[in-house]
């Protein structure tokens, strides 16, 4: 079996041999005058070129013959496979192609196809074809408007073409399409090309203009409202809802006709938007989605509605003609700014019709109510009721309006007394005390701003010592003390009180003397305690100031001018003293911020002639820290290492400083400079307040060691403390804690102690035995007494029975 690649004639391709030298060879079968065998040598040879495209397989039979022509051996089957070479270029099945594409066709959707064939072996790359677009005439954009599937030859719009193809701008394009064999992977491949003429036509796939549908249509539904057409045949039309509605009132059939399925109500929803899409039989999108806009057209199907069941307006009785009273509001659910929602207003009736029946006027288009030329008089009528008709083009409604006539402030308050004479009070009377009740009356309408009365002290009270409160139900006023009275400041107050209304008086009316009254307050003196100039005294001192340092001077005065004596209360640390005459406060002993950072005492001022009259105020002394405390260890746990040591052990040491840490405090740990300490231990810093103590070796015995060390702070001046750490080397329990105390002798009692302990034990035992003995004797004695009593009782009982 052989594969032969286009061998030339006379080329030997196989030798056949025989055991007998006197034989000849013969070949029969599909020789096609191209293949034969030399009879004497058995050489199978070609005498021409084989062609795969003509015949791919040749089947022969070879046999050996003797001199008589009889078959000696055979026939032997020989199959010759002809291997293809790339000797045929691809050819298009048309000399020119034409196609039509619609404007706005979807990118990648094929609209035509080119096809080429290659006579070479289709199972080899020789016949594997690859398509491409060589040229594009015209090409107005940076990217090609068309694309081709390199394997199938399908031509479709590119993404750019889908957007820009427009028959109004360019309706014809020429593409030069190339095809290569060898899958287009080698420069030696055969190639061919063909022109493709493409005509661009206007897209059938267009969104219709905005669709208008009259609301509440009485036509039988569904009703056709529009139609769309795809650029592709045999597509499936669907509507895609943009909004999530409870019921979607639109549908589409397979001809692209769009329907509204039920009557629409503009007042519920005045516009709809949805999309129409097309799909092929595989469910893939064919065209771009089209947006459909629907507007619901209004009809006059809603009556006017009064905004309020009753519209209440107010007008003052002195309003002039033409004055605006207010606006009657009504609405219409029909489309705004159309004749369907245009409202007109008209007064139908007025009750009461006094003094005339046409006191009011309403503007037809705005609903604004106005007065005619007559002013209103509350005494004639305090309320009016109007019936107002509101209409649109079809419907009407009746609205109720009530107009309240408001009294004007044309009456001033008048005091019942022009002079309330005087009152005498002690200066110690508490704030809030009522000194006087006053009364004025007002002739305007009760319970309005025109008749409410506000009382004020107009003259004689520059410091607002008094205040007047009004009971608006009775218009009665109450004069009260607003600030503490002071005989020394003002012994007499001559007050002028006025009465006014919160509502302004009408033009031409003014307050006069009838709205004024007089009242005089005499203040009597009361012996009062001294008073300090400040409510609280504060001072700041360093804790290291020397004794007898002046802290501050306090000052108090007596309202009656008596001499004042000063003293301190609450100085429980005896840190301060005060000069009883001058009020100068000094330090009396050393201060210590670590004991009291804020020290509070009371400064007392009392009259010299009446010590019961006294007053005190707080003094707050804030102490500033100085570095007067060396650091100290702050550990509530023992230091130990488990015996035997293995190396690498460390124990945490913690220190603190009692001074105030204004900045970041750093404590330094160091070992004392002696030979044993340096040889046995080392210290490593952890942070500002902690360090590790570590053994330097493992040759420690099981006992308690000492580690003298020095700890320093970073204050000014720097302070240090020498401490001795006890470190136990001990056998540890499973919880890694010392479980015996090492090198502590078990205490043995001395001879005297032993005798004392023995005597103590014997005394306790004797006391227990004695107690038990006396208890038994006591019980026996009580038993005998009980028996004697029972015998006596029995004897007496027998005598009584006899």
């Amino acid at each position: 079996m052989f594969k032969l690649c286009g061998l030339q004639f006379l080329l030997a391709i196989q030798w056949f041999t025989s055991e007998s030298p006197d034989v000849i060879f013969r070949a029969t079968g599909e020789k096609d005058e191209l293949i034969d065998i030399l009879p004497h040598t058995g050489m199978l040879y070609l005498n021409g070129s084989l062609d795969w495209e003509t015949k791919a397989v040749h089947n022969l039979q070879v046999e050996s013959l003797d001199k008589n022509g009889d078959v000696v051996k055979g026939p032997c089957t020989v199959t010759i496979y002809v291997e293809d070479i790339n000797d045929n270029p691809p050819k298009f099945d048309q000399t020119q192609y034409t196609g039509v594409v619609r404007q706005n066709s979807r990118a990648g959707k094929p609209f035509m196809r080119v096809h080429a064939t290659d006579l070479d072996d289709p199972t080899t790359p020789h016949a594997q074809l690859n398509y491409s677009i060589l040229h594009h005439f015209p090409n107005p954009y940076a990217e090609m408007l068309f694309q081709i599937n390199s394997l199938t030859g399908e031509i479709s719009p590119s993404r750019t073409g889908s957007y820009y193809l427009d028959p109004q701008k360019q309706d014809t394009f020429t593409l030069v399409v190339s095809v290569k064999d060898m899958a287009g992977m080698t420069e030696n491949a055969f190639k061919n090309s063909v022109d493709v003429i493409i005509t661009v036509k206007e897209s059938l796939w267009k969104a219709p203009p905005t669709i208008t549908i009259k609301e509440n249509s009485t036509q039988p539904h569904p009703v056709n409202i529009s139609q769309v057409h795809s650029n592709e045949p045999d597509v499936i039309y669907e509507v895609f809802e943009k909004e999530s509605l409870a019921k979607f009132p639109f549908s589409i059939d397979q001809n692209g006709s769009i329907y509204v399925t039920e009557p629409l109500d503009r007042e519920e929803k005045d516009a709809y938007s949805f999309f129409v899409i097309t799909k092929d039989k595989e469910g893939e999108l064919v065209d771009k989605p089209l947006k459909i806009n629907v507007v619901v057209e209004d009809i006059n199907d809603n009556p006017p509605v009064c905004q309020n069941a009753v519209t209440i307006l107010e007008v003052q009785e002195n309003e002039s003609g033409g004055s605006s009273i207010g606006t009657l509001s009504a609405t219409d659910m029909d489309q705004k700014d159309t004749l369907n929602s245009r409202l007109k207003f008209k007064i139908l009736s007025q009750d009461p019709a006094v003094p005339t029946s046409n006191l009011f006027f309403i503007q037809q288009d705005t609903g604004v109510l106005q007065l005619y030329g007559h002013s209103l008089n509350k005494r004639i009528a305090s309320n009016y009721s109007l019936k107002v008709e509101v209409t649109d083009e079809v419907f009407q409604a009746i609205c109720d309006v009530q107009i309240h006539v408001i009294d004007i402030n044309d009456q001033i308050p008048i005091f019942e007394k022009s002079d309330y004479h005087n009152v005498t009070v002690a200066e110690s009377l508490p704030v809030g005390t009522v000194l006087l009740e006053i009364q004025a009356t007002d002739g305007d309408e009760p319970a309005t701003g025109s008749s409410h009365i506000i009382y004020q002290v107009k003259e004689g009270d520059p410091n607002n010592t008094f205040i007047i409160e009004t009971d608006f139900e009775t218009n009665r006023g109450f004069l009260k003390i607003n600030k503490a009275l002071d005989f020394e400041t003002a012994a007499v107050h001559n007050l002028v009180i006025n009465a006014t209304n919160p509502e302004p008086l009408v033009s031409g009316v003014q307050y006069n003397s009838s709205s004024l009254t007089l009242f005089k307050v005499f203040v009597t003196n009361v012996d009062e305690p001294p008073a300090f100039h400040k409510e609280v005294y504060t001072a700041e001192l360093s804790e290291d100031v020397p004794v007898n340092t002046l802290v501050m001077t306090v000052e108090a005065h007596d309202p009656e001018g008596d001499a004042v004596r000063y003293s301190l209360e609450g100085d429980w640390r005896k840190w301060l003293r005060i000069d009883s005459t001058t009020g100068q406060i000094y330090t009396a002993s050393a201060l210590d911020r670590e004991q009291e950072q804020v020290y509070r005492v009371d400064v007392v001022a009392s009259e010299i002639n009446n010590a019961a009259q006294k007053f005190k105020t707080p003094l707050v002394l804030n102490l500033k820290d100085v570095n007067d405390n060396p650091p100290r260890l702050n550990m509530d746990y023992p230091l130990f290492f488990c015996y035997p040591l293995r190396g690498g052990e460390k124990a945490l040491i913690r220190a603190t400083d009692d001074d105030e840490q204004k900045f970041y405090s750093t404590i330094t740990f160091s070992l004392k400079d002696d030979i044993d300490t340096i040889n046995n231990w080392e210290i490593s810093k952890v942070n500002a307040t902690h360090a590790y103590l570590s053994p330097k070796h493992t040759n420690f015995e099981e006992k308690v060691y000492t580690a003298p060390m020095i700890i320093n702070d970073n204050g000014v001046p720097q302070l240090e403390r020498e401490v001795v750490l006890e470190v136990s080397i001990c056998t540890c329990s499973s919880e890694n804690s010392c479980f015996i105390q090492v090198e502590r002798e078990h205490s043995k009692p001395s001879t005297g102690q032993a005798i004392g302990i023995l005597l103590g034990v014997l005394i306790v035992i004797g006391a227990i035995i004695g107690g038990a003995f006396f208890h038994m004797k006591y019980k026996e004695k009580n038993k005998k007494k009980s028996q004697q009593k029972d015998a006596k009782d029995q004897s007496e009982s027998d005598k009584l029975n006899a």
Side-chain angles (χ1 to χ4, degrees):
M1 185 179 297
F2 306 92
K3 291 184 179 178
L4 306 176
C5 300
L7 297 176
Q8 298 296 318
F9 59 90
L10 296 179
L11 176 63
I13 56 176
Q14 179 67 33
W15 279 268
F16 290 89
T17 59
S18 175
E19 295 176 356
S20 172
D22 297 325
V23 297
I24 61 175
F25 296 94
R26 180 176 65 187
T28 58
E30 299 172 346
K31 296 190 292 181
D32 299 331
E33 299 181 354
L34 296 174
I35 306 171
D36 211 341
I37 193 168
L38 293 177
H40 297 288
T41 63
M43 182 179 68
L44 189 68
Y45 66 93
L46 295 175
N47 58 9
S49 297
L50 301 179
D51 187 5
W52 181 90
E53 287 76 23
T54 303
K55 196 174 187 67
V57 179
H58 295 266
N59 293 304
L60 305 178
Q61 289 78 38
V62 177
E63 51 192 359
S64 58
L65 307 174
D66 59 15
K67 66 174 87 176
N68 298 320
D70 295 328
V71 175
V72 176
K73 195 172 183 179
C76 175
T77 299
V78 178
T79 302
I80 300 175
Y81 292 89
V82 182
E83 184 176 340
D84 181 50
I85 63 173
N86 190 20
D87 57 352
N88 290 283
K91 292 182 180 180
F92 285 100
D93 53 11
Q94 295 183 34
T95 57
Q96 186 181 73
Y97 291 86
T98 60
V100 175
V101 64
R102 293 283 180 180
Q103 180 185 9
N104 296 330
S105 292
R106 185 162 62 88
K109 180 69 177 178
F111 61 89
M112 67 173 296
R113 182 186 179 195
V114 297
H115 183 260
T117 57
D118 192 307
L119 296 177
D120 289 321
D121 185 356
T123 63
T124 67
H126 304 153
Q128 292 181 9
L129 305 183
N130 182 273
Y131 299 92
S132 62
I133 298 176
L134 289 180
H135 302 291
H136 182 303
F137 304 108
N139 188 11
Y141 302 102
E143 298 180 9
M144 285 192 176
L145 301 179
F146 300 94
Q147 59 192 17
I148 191 169
N149 188 308
S150 61
L151 299 179
T152 65
E154 293 175 322
I155 299 175
S156 62
S158 65
R159 189 179 296 274
T160 303
S162 176
Y163 186 81
Y164 286 110
L165 285 174
D166 185 352
Q168 302 296 325
K169 296 180 180 178
Q170 181 71 36
D171 62 351
T172 304
F173 292 88
T174 299
L175 305 184
V176 179
V177 176
S178 171
V179 63
K180 291 183 181 180
D181 60 14
M182 298 299 291
M185 301 299 291
T186 175
E187 291 295 328
N188 297 325
F190 289 107
K191 64 181 70 174
N192 206 339
S193 62
V194 69
D195 287 351
V196 179
I197 311 300
I198 298 175
T199 301
V200 181
K201 291 190 175 182
E202 188 175 2
S203 177
L204 299 175
W205 186 243
K206 291 182 178 180
T210 299
I211 303 167
T212 300
I213 303 174
K214 279 193 175 183
E215 67 171 328
N216 299 323
S217 171
T218 58
Q219 290 180 264
H221 285 73
V223 176
N224 179 250
I225 55 174
S226 188
Q227 188 174 15
V228 293
H229 300 278
S230 174
N231 291 323
E232 303 293 332
D234 303 323
V235 296
I236 301 169
Y237 294 92
E238 294 181 4
V239 289
F240 176 72
E241 182 183 354
K242 182 181 178 181
E243 305 168 279
S244 297
L245 302 177
K247 187 175 182 182
F248 187 63
F250 300 97
S251 64
I252 191 169
D253 64 17
Q254 292 315 301
N255 295 319
S257 295
I258 302 173
Y259 298 88
V260 57
T261 58
E262 61 184 37
L264 305 180
D265 187 350
R266 192 202 68 84
E267 285 70 43
E268 289 184 4
K269 189 170 178 60
D270 60 0
Y272 296 84
S273 291
F274 58 92
F275 292 91
V276 174
I277 58 175
T278 54
K279 295 182 179 180
D280 57 22
K281 293 179 181 179
E282 285 73 36
E284 297 293 327
L285 285 176
V286 176
D287 300 291
K288 298 177 182 177
L290 287 185
K291 187 176 182 180
I292 310 298
N293 294 312
V294 177
V295 173
V296 184
E297 184 179 351
D298 184 48
I299 63 172
N300 196 348
D301 58 347
N302 289 280
V305 176
C306 305
Q307 187 166 328
N308 300 301
V310 179
T311 299
I312 300 175
L313 304 174
E314 293 182 343
V315 58
Q316 287 188 343
E317 59 182 344
N318 66 333
E319 288 287 351
S320 59
S323 297
S324 175
I325 301 173
T327 302
L328 172 62
S329 298
T331 58
D332 193 306
M333 292 294 292
D334 290 318
Q335 187 172 355
K336 188 179 179 181
D337 299 327
T338 66
L339 292 176
N340 294 336
S341 61
R342 181 189 179 188
L343 302 181
K344 294 183 179 181
F345 300 85
K346 179 182 177 183
I347 296 176
L348 296 180
S349 65
Q350 168 196 311
D351 181 37
V354 292
T356 64
S357 61
N358 60 343
L359 290 173
F360 305 99
F361 169 77
I362 192 166
Q363 294 182 13
Q364 174 182 277
D365 291 305
T366 62
V368 175
L369 275 161
Q370 294 174 287
L371 279 174
Y372 265 127
H374 303 281
S375 293
L376 304 179
N377 191 326
K378 184 177 177 66
R379 294 166 181 81
I380 296 175
S382 60
N383 293 284
Y384 290 91
S385 296
L386 305 181
K387 295 287 186 184
V388 179
E389 180 185 60
V390 185
T391 60
D392 61 17
E393 291 289 319
V394 178
F395 302 98
Q396 69 175 21
I398 305 299
C399 297
D400 290 323
V401 179
Q402 285 189 4
I403 300 174
H404 298 317
V405 181
I406 301 174
D407 180 44
I408 59 175
N409 192 11
D410 56 357
Q411 303 290 320
I412 64 171
I414 298 174
F415 275 104
E416 63 178 2
K417 295 179 182 180
S418 61
D419 190 336
Y420 281 88
H421 304 296
N422 59 73
V423 67
T424 301
V425 295
E427 65 176 337
S428 60
L429 210 61
V431 171
T433 301
V434 177
L435 301 183
L436 177 68
E437 293 186 18
I438 56 179
Q439 181 72 64
T441 57
D442 192 300
D444 290 312
E445 182 180 359
T448 67
S450 299
S451 63
H452 283 163
I453 298 177
I454 298 174
Y455 298 100
Q456 291 176 311
V457 178
K458 184 178 181 181
E459 298 175 14
D461 187 22
N463 297 320
N464 297 321
T465 305
F466 304 97
I467 189 173
I468 305 175
E469 296 178 355
T470 303
D471 179 353
F472 285 113
E473 291 187 2
T474 63
N475 270 342
R476 194 162 187 80
F478 301 89
L479 178 70
K480 296 182 178 181
I481 300 175
N482 187 46
K483 295 180 180 177
L485 300 175
D486 188 358
F487 171 82
E488 288 73 23
T489 303
V492 180
H493 299 270
N494 293 302
L495 306 180
V496 178
I497 301 171
N498 69 353
T500 59
N501 302 127
E503 189 73 26
L505 294 172
V506 297
S507 178
V509 178
Q510 295 181 350
Y511 296 108
N512 55 39
S513 60
S514 298
S515 299
L516 299 175
T517 191
L518 305 176
F519 183 57
K520 186 177 292 186
V521 179
F522 293 100
V523 181
T524 59
N525 188 29
V526 176
D527 188 14
E528 300 172 274
F532 283 97
H533 290 179
K534 293 183 180 180
E535 293 184 1
V536 178
Y537 288 93
T538 60
E540 187 176 70
L541 285 177
S542 292
E543 63 175 331
D544 61 343
V545 297
V547 175
N548 292 325
T549 296
L550 177 64
V551 178
M552 67 165 50
T553 301
V554 298
E555 187 176 354
H557 74 279
D558 185 76
E560 289 74 35
D562 293 338
V564 175
R565 182 189 303 276
Y566 299 97
S567 60
L568 296 177
E569 288 184 2
D571 182 21
W572 64 282
R573 287 194 179 274
K574 307 302 179 184
W575 281 357
L576 303 173
R577 66 178 178 83
I578 189 169
D579 188 308
S580 63
T581 304
T582 64
Q584 293 177 323
I585 301 175
Y586 298 89
T587 59
S589 60
L591 308 178
D592 189 351
R593 190 205 66 87
E594 285 69 42
Q595 293 183 6
E596 295 285 343
Q597 183 174 351
V598 179
Y599 191 54
R600 292 177 174 85
V601 298
D602 288 328
V603 184
V604 182
S606 57
E607 295 179 6
I608 291 179
N609 298 324
N610 185 6
Q613 290 287 32
K614 64 180 180 179
F615 187 79
K616 59 184 176 183
T617 193
L619 165 63
V620 180
L621 182 61
N622 296 296
L623 297 182
K624 294 189 294 184
D625 187 52
V626 296
N627 194 30
D628 57 351
N629 289 278
R632 59 182 176 82
L633 290 178
N634 182 22
M635 298 165 53
D636 56 0
Y637 51 88
L639 290 183
F640 68 91
F641 294 103
C642 293
Y643 179 84
L645 274 69
R646 294 178 174 81
E649 293 92 345
K650 55 187 177 180
L652 188 65
I653 305 170
R654 181 175 67 200
T656 187
D657 194 316
D658 293 326
D659 290 315
E660 182 181 9
Q661 306 302 320
K662 292 184 179 179
F663 305 102
Y664 189 66
S665 172
T666 301
I667 296 176
T668 304
F669 301 82
S670 59
L671 293 171
K672 193 172 180 182
D673 190 12
D674 65 69
I675 295 176
D676 289 342
T677 303
I678 297 302
N679 289 339
N680 287 340
W681 310 104
E682 62 182 354
I683 285 183
S684 57
K685 183 176 180 179
V686 176
N687 54 33
T689 56
H690 292 72
Y692 282 127
L693 177 69
S694 304
K696 270 191 173 181
H697 55 82
T698 60
N699 300 322
F700 285 88
E701 299 177 9
E702 192 175 357
K703 66 177 185 178
V704 176
Y705 290 83
T706 59
M709 61 185 301
I710 298 170
I711 50 178
N712 300 79
D713 63 18
N714 64 336
V716 178
Q718 188 181 60
L719 300 179
E720 70 178 29
R721 185 189 299 271
E722 183 175 333
V723 297
V724 177
L725 286 175
E726 286 192 352
V727 185
S728 297
I729 308 297
C730 57
T731 301
C732 291
S733 65
S734 58
E735 288 81 16
N736 283 333
S737 60
C738 269
F739 104 110
I740 58 169
Q741 294 184 346
V742 296
E743 228 181 55
R744 296 275 172 94
E745 291 188 0
H746 295 291
S747 111
K748 297 180 180 180
S750 63
T751 304
Q753 290 174 332
I755 294 172
I757 292 171
L758 181 59
L759 287 175
V761 172
L762 291 176
I763 289 170
V764 171
I765 294 173
I768 294 171
I769 294 172
F773 174 77
F774 285 115
H775 181 67
M776 291 174 63
K777 285 290 187 179
Y778 178 75
K779 285 182 68 179
E780 183 178 353
K781 183 177 181 181
N782 285 345
K783 185 176 180 181
K784 289 180 178 180
K785 286 182 178 180
S786 178
Q787 289 174 351
Q788 292 173 357
K789 183 180 179 182
D790 290 343
K792 183 178 181 182
D793 291 342
Q794 183 64 38
S795 174
E796 290 178 355
S797 176
D798 292 342
K799 290 179 180 179
L800 290 173
N801 290 332

